[in-house]
């Protein structure tokens, strides 16, 4: 065996060609809004809603208004895109003098084509600007300054993070648009989340940008700054463990090509985009079938829909910490610039993300997404045949995949979200959790100090520091089009059967399959781990030459579900996590599992509510919703930063191809490199 060579490739960025207006008619229907388009949206809307002291108008979300699916598919399937593309429009959620307004702007007519006030519960996604403004308001608030002085702290070393406060049975009239400001002390450290200042309740009303509630309840202990450093330039020897420098060589350059936002690699073709709420959006993913010599549909559109992170500390200072990260803060807005060679390997290609700031002005996150080929020594397939006399055969194919990655840092946690495409036809969605724990100051430094009646709701991870128990639920929305738009969901149960007495065998049992096609949404809800079953999305209108329905099978991750009581308010809002898997009929308006307005929502516009209609899903356009779950009991190894914890799932072809689609894949050509030397040589 021989490893690949190592070298460094210069990464490059894309320049996306548009017309001088930025609105070229040849744009792909799923291309993200450009800076020029965002400026045009701002200009058009400001004609109707002038921004100024007498009229407060803010842009909370600006994204692509999803085109009609039938129009997109008609355009996509036409030869050289001769069919007229669907109308290109922007969807805007704005705050207009204390109300949420939904606006659709059409680019061809350069006009507002829809404009309505949101009636119902919940508020739109927070902007970075208003969170920063809320911090400034608190830093000038006298009662807060007095509380800081009482604690003997330097106000110049206090920083804030913001927290949504959720909903706990209040009426609609009682749910003002407020956020809770959480102060931290950076004296002696840059690891701010490990030095929380507890005992203060600080609420800021975002519509009037004033402190609406302040209570100084108690003065608690504060964890020490020592032992919280994580910057390599500031850490002291000894260092380790030592790892060899390594960069994978691709002598002919990366094996994928990007044309605008279309990615082509091996036998895959897909569109990649950026959304300020979802982050990466993968669309129109198709795989080339050598047998029929054409691309076949797999995934119409897939992206992160919501992240639910409830903490398990019910005290007054903590009970509200139950985030819906994508809906509250924007998983795209919180995404960070990726570092070449560390966040993404050599040969990676980087893309920027553009979104609208609070006043509608475009903002850019450079290098927010990366695409790269991944080879980690995995095996695509192999076989050694040693049973044939005078003949020994070994055939091995190394596994290479293509990864599209984004990292979103929502407060203390960094989430690594990967979409991985394999030549075998599989698509893997991966989630990595790293960053810094959310901690609670305590008086204890040792478990022996805790009396038997007291609950600390976590683990002592350092002096005076408890890492609080919590969950992470990461929900993906996957609009599957397996070889066409009409699909069904099959629950193929594996059942134990007793061997018939008439059969001459010592075996007493075996298992067999009992497939059942789910006809309605209720029949398709799945809690993993309750029984052995294969979960497959099939196209009942397409069959292999042997009569099997073509499909894709779900290879699920661990069976992790919520443990909160179903009548607990956070769980009502996040009832989409009650099942690991849901199947719903395609609906263009059903995109965000926690609802379009997640902040202070009341759980009345979620995936769990939509599914109560129990709509028919057999042989229709269907959407799969899958939640990756983690129960996190912190440990000392998670301090002061947390090694990445990973999870995910895979969509794998099942009777989609007539045979192994990578059977004829050629081995990677290895050039001169040091050979692996067995220990006995």
């Amino acid at each position: 065996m021989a490893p690949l060579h190592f070298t460094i490739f210069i990464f490059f960025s894309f320049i996306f060609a548009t017309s001088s207006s930025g609105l070229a008619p040849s744009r792909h229907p799923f291309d993200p809004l450009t800076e020029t388009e965002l400026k045009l949206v701002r200009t058009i809307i400001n004609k109707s809603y002038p921004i100024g002291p007498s009229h407060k108008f803010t842009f909370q979300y600006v994204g692509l208004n999803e085109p009609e699916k039938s129009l997109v598919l008609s355009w996509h399937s036409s030869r050289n895109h001769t069919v007229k593309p669907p109308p290109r429009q922007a969807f805007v959620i704005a705050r207009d003098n204390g109300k949420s307004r939904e606006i659709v702007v059409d680019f061809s007519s350069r006009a507002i084509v829809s404009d309505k006030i949101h009636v119902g519960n919940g508020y739109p996604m927070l902007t970075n600007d208003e969170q920063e403004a809320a911090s400034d308001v608190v830093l000038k608030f006298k009662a807060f300054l007095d509380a800081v002085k009482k604690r003997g702290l330097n106000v110049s070393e206090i920083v804030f993070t913001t927290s949504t406060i959720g909903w706990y049975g209040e009426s609609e009239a009682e749910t003002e648009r407020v956020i809770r400001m959480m102060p931290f002390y950076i004296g002696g450290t840059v690891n701010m989340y490990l030095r929380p200042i507890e005992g203060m309740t600080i609420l800021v009303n975002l519509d009037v940008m004033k402190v609406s509630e302040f209570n100084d309840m108690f003065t608690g202990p504060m964890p020490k700054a020592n032992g919280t450093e994580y910057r390599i330039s500031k850490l002291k020897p000894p260092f380790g463990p030592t790892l060899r420098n390594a960069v994978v060589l691709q002598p002919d350059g990366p094996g994928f090509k990007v044309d605008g936002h279309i990615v082509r690699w091996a036998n895959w073709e897909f569109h990649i985009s950026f959304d300020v709420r979802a982050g990466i959006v993968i669309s129109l993913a198709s795989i080339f079938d050598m047998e029929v010599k054409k691309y076949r549909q797999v995934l119409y559109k897939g992206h992160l829909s919501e992240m639910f992170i409830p903490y398990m500390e019910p005290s007054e200072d903590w009970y509200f910490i139950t985030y819906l990260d994508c809906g509250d803060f924007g998983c795209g807005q919180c995404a960070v610039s990726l570092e070449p060679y560390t966040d993404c390997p050599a040969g990676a290609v980087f893309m920027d993300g553009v979104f609208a700031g609070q006043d509608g002005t475009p903002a850019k996150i450079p290098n927010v997404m990366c695409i790269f080929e991944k080879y980690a020594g995995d095996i695509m397939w192999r076989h050694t045949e040693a049973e044939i006399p005078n003949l020994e055969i070994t055939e091995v194919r190394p596994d290479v995949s293509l990864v599209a990655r984004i990292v979103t840092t929502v407060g203390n946690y960094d989430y690594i979200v990967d979409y991985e495409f394999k030549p075998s036809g599989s698509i893997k969605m991966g989630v990595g959790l790293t960053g810094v724990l959310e901690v609670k100051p305590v008086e204890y430094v040792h478990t022996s100090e805790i009396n038997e009646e007291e609950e600390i709701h976590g683990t002592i991870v350092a002096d005076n520091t408890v890492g609080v128990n919590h969950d992470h639920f990461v929900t993906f929305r996957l609009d599957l089009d397996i070889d066409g738009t009409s699909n069904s969901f099959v629950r193929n149960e594996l059942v134990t059967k007793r061997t018939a007495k008439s059969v001459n065998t010592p075996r007493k049992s075996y298992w067999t399959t009992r497939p059942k096609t789910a006809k309605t949404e209720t029949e398709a809800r799945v809690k993993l781990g309750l029984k052995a079953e294969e979960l497959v999305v099939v196209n009942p209108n397409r069959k292999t030459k042997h009569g099997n329905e073509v499909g894709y099978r779900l290879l699920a991750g661990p069976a992790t579900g919520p443990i909160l009581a179903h009548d607990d308010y956070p769980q009502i809002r996040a009832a989409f996590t009650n099942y690991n898997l849901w199947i719903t009929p395609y609906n263009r308006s059903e995109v965000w599992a926690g609802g379009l307005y997640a902040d202070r929502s009341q759980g009345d516009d979620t995936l769990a509510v939509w599914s109560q209609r129990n709509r028919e899903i057999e042989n229709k356009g269907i959407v799969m919703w899958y939640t990756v779950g983690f129960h996190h009991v912190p440990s000392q190894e998670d301090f002061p930063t947390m090694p990445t914890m990973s999870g995910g799932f895979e969509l794998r072809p099942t009777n989609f191809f007539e045979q192994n689609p990578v059977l004829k894949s050629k081995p990677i050509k290895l050039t001169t490199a040091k050979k692996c030397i067995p220990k006995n040589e």
Side-chain angles (χ1 to χ4, degrees):
M1 137 178 139
L4 297 180
H5 263 163
F6 299 110
T7 190
I8 295 178
F9 279 95
I10 300 174
F11 68 93
F12 59 93
S13 60
F14 290 101
I15 300 175
F16 302 112
T18 60
S19 68
S20 59
S21 67
L23 305 175
S26 60
R27 291 189 63 80
H28 192 286
F30 282 136
D31 277 358
L33 299 180
T34 65
E35 290 187 49
T36 302
E37 288 174 325
L38 291 173
K39 290 176 181 177
L40 182 58
V41 169
R42 183 178 188 270
T43 299
I44 292 169
I45 290 179
N46 283 354
K47 289 179 181 178
S48 299
Y49 303 100
I51 298 174
S54 60
H55 192 109
K56 187 176 182 183
F57 187 97
T58 58
F59 294 80
Q60 305 297 135
Y61 172 87
V62 182
L64 184 69
N65 192 42
E66 182 164 333
E68 290 286 348
K69 185 173 181 177
S70 60
L71 298 179
V72 174
L73 291 176
S74 176
W75 173 87
H76 182 63
S77 61
S78 65
R79 185 177 179 85
N80 298 321
H81 302 317
T82 53
V83 172
K84 183 180 178 181
R88 187 161 173 83
Q89 299 176 332
F91 176 64
V92 179
I93 300 178
R95 289 294 284 175
D96 177 16
N97 279 349
K99 296 180 179 180
S100 296
R101 185 177 289 277
E102 300 172 7
I103 302 172
V104 176
V105 174
D106 183 80
F107 288 116
S108 60
S109 63
R110 298 179 177 239
I112 294 173
V113 294
S114 176
D115 187 350
K116 63 181 181 180
I117 296 292
H118 165 64
V119 178
N121 299 309
Y123 296 103
M125 198 178 81
L126 300 169
T127 68
N128 290 333
D129 292 340
E130 63 190 353
Q131 293 176 75
E132 292 172 7
S135 296
D136 293 338
V137 166
V138 177
L139 287 171
K140 298 173 183 176
F141 190 65
K142 184 178 183 304
F144 171 74
L145 297 176
D146 291 343
V148 171
K149 184 176 181 181
K150 181 180 72 174
R151 287 166 170 78
L153 302 177
N154 186 344
V155 71
S156 66
E157 297 200 79
I158 291 176
V159 293
F160 291 94
T161 188
T162 58
S163 174
T164 50
I165 67 171
W167 169 74
Y168 294 89
E170 306 95 324
S171 68
E172 183 178 352
E174 295 173 314
T175 52
E176 293 181 332
R177 187 167 181 259
V178 298
I179 56 172
R180 186 156 176 166
M181 307 302 295
M182 301 169 65
F184 296 83
Y185 201 60
I186 59 172
T189 184
V190 295
N191 205 340
M192 55 170 275
Y193 290 100
L194 298 183
R195 302 202 76 196
I197 304 169
E198 296 218 322
M200 284 186 276
T201 298
I202 314 167
L203 299 183
V204 173
N205 185 309
L206 295 174
D207 287 329
V208 297
M209 203 52 72
K210 290 182 179 179
V211 175
S212 61
E213 182 180 337
F214 180 86
N215 292 308
D216 188 2
M217 299 170 291
F218 62 88
T219 301
M222 182 182 295
K224 299 179 178 63
N226 60 300
T228 62
E229 184 59 71
Y230 58 85
R231 293 169 294 178
I232 190 66
S233 61
K234 303 294 183 180
L235 294 171
K236 297 179 180 179
F239 295 102
T242 301
L243 304 174
R244 290 277 186 177
N245 295 329
V247 181
V248 174
L249 166 69
Q250 292 179 291
D252 301 319
F256 60 94
K257 295 181 179 179
V258 182
D259 179 12
H261 287 266
I262 298 292
V263 181
R264 296 181 178 91
W265 171 80
N267 46 358
W268 279 103
E269 177 181 287
F270 61 88
H271 183 276
I272 184 171
S273 181
F274 173 82
D275 179 80
V276 69
R277 181 163 174 173
I280 283 180
V281 179
I282 301 292
S283 305
L284 297 170
S286 300
I287 189 166
F288 189 78
D289 187 339
M290 292 180 59
E291 293 286 329
V292 296
K293 295 180 173 56
K294 71 174 184 179
Y295 280 95
R296 297 170 64 190
Q297 297 167 264
V298 178
L299 177 68
Y300 178 73
K301 191 175 184 184
H303 59 81
L304 196 60
S305 181
E306 192 53 271
M307 296 198 297
F308 175 48
I309 301 90
Y311 279 77
M312 301 299 140
E313 165 60 270
S315 68
E316 187 173 357
D317 231 29
W318 273 79
Y319 74 90
F320 58 90
I321 304 181
T322 56
Y323 306 121
L324 293 171
D325 277 348
C326 292
D328 288 346
F329 303 104
C331 289
Q333 181 175 242
C334 294
V336 296
S337 296
L338 300 174
E339 297 290 332
Y341 313 121
T342 49
D343 283 320
C344 309
V349 168
F350 294 78
M351 289 183 171
D352 299 337
V354 180
F355 65 96
Q358 182 170 289
D359 66 352
T361 302
K364 181 185 289 186
I365 308 174
N367 296 352
V368 74
M369 302 179 288
C370 72
I371 306 166
F372 60 90
E373 285 172 294
K374 174 183 172 184
Y375 171 63
D378 295 331
I379 295 172
M380 180 188 291
W381 67 265
R382 79 172 321 282
H383 181 61
T384 294
E385 182 56 71
E387 303 302 321
I388 302 174
N390 303 317
L391 182 65
E392 184 170 324
I393 303 170
T394 295
E395 287 285 324
V396 186
R397 301 293 183 272
D399 200 16
V400 179
S401 57
L402 186 74
V403 177
R405 171 173 293 170
I406 195 167
V407 175
T408 180
T409 302
V410 191
N412 55 305
Y413 263 101
D414 297 59
Y415 294 89
I416 305 157
V417 181
D418 286 350
Y419 299 83
E420 181 177 354
F421 296 82
K422 302 178 82 65
S424 61
S426 285
I427 307 175
K428 299 176 73 174
M429 284 72 174
V431 178
L433 281 58
T434 180
V436 181
L437 293 173
E438 191 133 358
V439 302
K440 179 180 69 171
V442 294
E443 298 175 352
Y444 315 121
V445 298
H446 195 278
T447 56
S448 62
E449 301 172 52
I450 307 169
N451 68 57
E452 294 181 1
E453 290 76 31
E454 184 178 4
E455 285 190 82
I456 61 170
H457 306 289
T459 306
I460 297 177
V461 295
D463 288 356
N464 310 113
T465 305
V466 165
V468 177
N469 299 331
H470 58 281
D471 295 323
H472 302 263
F473 295 106
V474 183
T475 301
F476 290 83
R477 179 185 186 268
L478 304 165
D479 180 3
L480 297 170
D481 280 354
I482 305 301
D483 214 20
T485 56
S486 295
N487 291 171
S488 295
F489 179 60
V490 178
R491 303 183 68 164
N492 198 9
E493 188 177 0
L494 311 182
V495 294
T496 303
K497 297 196 75 173
R498 301 293 294 184
T499 306
K501 293 181 180 179
S502 59
V503 178
N504 185 21
T505 176
R507 284 283 297 274
K508 295 183 177 181
S509 66
Y510 61 98
W511 63 258
T512 188
T513 58
R514 187 166 61 197
K516 181 181 179 182
T517 299
K519 298 184 181 301
T520 64
E521 292 176 271
T522 300
E523 294 178 4
R525 298 173 191 162
V526 178
K527 288 187 178 181
L528 296 173
L530 298 184
K531 57 184 176 181
E533 58 183 342
E534 281 199 328
L535 306 170
V536 188
V537 174
V538 303
N539 187 329
N541 313 294
R542 301 275 194 273
K543 294 187 179 181
T544 66
K545 64 184 179 182
H546 298 299
N548 296 307
E549 293 177 334
V550 304
Y552 261 70
R553 168 178 35 176
L554 171 68
L555 298 181
T560 305
I563 310 175
L564 290 176
H566 280 201
D567 65 347
D568 196 359
Y569 292 106
Q571 193 59 40
I572 292 172
R573 300 174 66 223
F576 56 88
T577 64
N578 288 343
Y579 293 88
N580 305 97
L581 176 70
W582 309 69
I583 301 289
T584 63
Y586 171 78
N587 186 317
R588 191 161 61 116
S589 67
E590 296 176 0
V591 177
W592 310 109
L596 182 59
Y597 296 90
D599 180 23
R600 305 216 69 185
S601 62
Q602 298 185 14
D604 52 6
D605 178 31
T606 69
L607 169 59
V609 173
W610 310 330
S611 187
Q612 287 176 7
R613 286 174 280 177
N614 201 24
R615 295 162 290 185
E616 293 183 358
I617 58 171
E618 185 178 13
N619 202 13
K620 294 183 179 295
I622 57 177
V623 176
M624 174 186 288
W625 308 76
Y626 183 88
T627 296
V628 179
F630 304 84
H631 296 308
H632 190 181
V633 179
S635 65
Q636 289 183 229
E637 288 83 356
D638 298 332
F639 185 92
T641 58
M642 174 183 162
T644 301
M645 179 188 299
S646 299
F649 62 102
E650 179 178 344
L651 296 172
R652 181 182 175 93
T654 298
N655 300 316
F656 187 85
F657 299 102
E658 293 294 346
Q659 64 170 13
N660 178 358
V662 290
L663 177 69
K664 297 181 181 179
S665 175
K666 293 181 178 180
I668 294 174
K669 186 177 181 180
L670 300 176
T671 54
T672 54
K674 290 184 179 181
K675 293 183 178 180
C676 295
I677 302 174
K679 288 184 178 179
N680 58 358
E681 290 188 11

